[in-house]
Amino acid sequence: MKYPKYNYRSESSLQFFEFISEGPKGLIKKMVIYTETTTENVYNLGFGDYNESTNGINDLSVTNNGDSQKVLATVASTIYAFIEKHPNAWILATGSTSVRTRLYRMGITNNLTEIEEDFIILGYSKREEWEKFVVGEDYEAFLLTKKENKN
Amino acid sequence: MTIEQTIEKLNKSKVPIIVIDKKLERFKGQNLFPEKLKRANEILAKTGLPKITDFR
């Protein structure tokens, strides 16, 4: 993505990422996590604010830290890192709210040309089927894999 | 490669420098997004994984 991004930390499997959002609300720890689904090679992407006291992640929070583009670019960047380590993986992302889903859609739309250089990206339509991502369409979920993936 | 070339390459990289932190391994095996994962599995159970060749 063409936007600046935060540096992040991860562990050896590159499934758990952590970075710090910096803005008027202070320093907020964010996590991006790729979890195995029941379908082989398909991982669910989740991200949200890490809560130290509960050791949990709030994916409903709206931080308003003035850096949503940078946060989204960082999340997108973890996709490249994750796919590098898991080249045959598919990544499925659903928004925790309709607002968050729209945010994902905007992020994809704004960077579609660049994304499509490396990935195939699909949207889960209201007809409950996967279709090639179309700008302006409403999707509940997104699915992405490397173009080279043989499937 | 000169330092300038290295910096230019890093600036253009789609992945920033990743610091490996073993402390993050404590999350392994935890389901931190149960609702999302449930919905993802429901969608996949319904549709299966699409054939990539249909979208090339």
Side-chain angles (χ1 to χ4, degrees), chain A residues 11-16, chain B residues 24-31:
Chain A
E11 38 62 60
S12 55
S13 69
L14 300 188
Q15 282 181 250
F16 303 87
Chain B
L24 290 168
E25 289 182 5
R26 71 185 187 278
F27 294 108
K28 282 185 179 172
Q30 293 185 38
N31 183 2

Side-chain angles (χ1 to χ4, degrees), chain A residues 35-37 44, chain B residues 31 33-42:
Chain A
T35 312
E36 288 96 342
T37 67
N44 181 66
Chain B
N31 183 2
F33 299 97
E35 291 302 317
K36 276 186 168 183
L37 187 60
K38 182 171 170 245
R39 184 61 188 137
N41 284 329
E42 283 170 359

Side-chain angles (χ1 to χ4, degrees), chain A residues 72-146:
Chain A
L72 212 53
T74 308
V75 173
S77 169
T78 69
I79 292 174
Y80 282 90
F82 175 80
I83 285 282
E84 193 74 24
K85 181 85 175 175
H86 307 269
N88 297 318
W90 292 70
I91 297 168
L92 194 152
T94 56
S96 47
T97 63
S98 55
V99 173
R100 182 67 60 91
T101 305
R102 272 204 303 279
L103 183 71
Y104 285 173
R105 197 182 69 194
M106 274 168 41
I108 295 167
T109 299
N110 291 340
N111 297 281
L112 191 57
T113 306
E114 190 179 346
I115 292 168
E116 288 187 329
E117 284 172 12
D118 302 306
F119 300 107
I120 285 175
I121 183 148
L122 310 177
Y124 188 63
S125 72
K126 286 179 177 159
R127 296 182 300 279
E128 299 190 319
E129 57 191 24
W130 293 106
E131 64 179 38
K132 197 164 185 182
F133 182 88
V134 177
V135 173
E137 281 293 316
D138 205 10
Y139 298 114
E140 183 192 346
F142 308 94
L143 189 61
L144 169 148
T145 193
K146 258 186 120 167

